[in-house]
Amino acid sequence: QLQLVESGGGMVQPGGSLRLRCATSSDTLGRLVIGWFRQAPGQEREAVLCITSQYDIIYYADSVKDRFFISRDNAENTVSLQMSSLNPVDTAVYYCAARYNDCSGHGPDYDSWGRGTQVTVSW
């Protein structure tokens, strides 16, 4: 029932920054936790980080702790992922996912998914 749409992907040079957004159709975003996942070509899906309904940030990928920041605007029904100091290994399709429970690093725990947005880090 929830609709999630990612945006903001594109190509950026190493060391650059991008901001991804996850727009939701829910007027109850404040009750949701939103997780971000990514999947590189030929790789398994990886949990990146998650924001709880209490605005806590949970990091699942240690490599992004000092570079990625997630925030939410419940009034606008959006969640943003600010990525900085991007590296080619960050190249992947990035997905947002939602559920009404606690944050989880396991994709199947989430109820709704966006279709993803491509992030390419390259010269």
Side-chain angles (χ1 to χ4, degrees), residues 19 21 26 31 34 40 62 64-65 76 81 91-92 98-99 114 119-120:
R19 172 171 286 184
R21 291 178 174 85
S26 176
R31 296 163 49 196
I34 302 293
D62 290 341
V64 309
K65 286 183 177 180
E76 296 294 330
L81 174 62
T91 295
R99 67 193 303 247
V119 172
T120 302

Side-chain angles (χ1 to χ4, degrees), residues 4-58:
L4 305 177
V5 180
E6 304 92 340
S7 63
M11 179 175 288
V12 64
Q13 295 182 357
S17 300
L18 282 175
R19 172 171 286 184
L20 307 183
R21 291 178 174 85
C22 177
T24 78
S25 62
S26 176
D27 59 0
T28 59
L29 179 61
R31 296 163 49 196
L32 298 170
V33 300
I34 302 293
W36 284 93
F37 294 76
R38 65 185 181 184
Q39 187 166 23
Q43 304 295 318
E44 295 183 354
R45 181 179 56 198
E46 174 190 29
V48 183
L49 75 176
C50 180
I51 186 166
T52 73
S53 61
Q54 302 301 312
Y55 297 86
D56 295 323
I57 301 173
I58 309 298

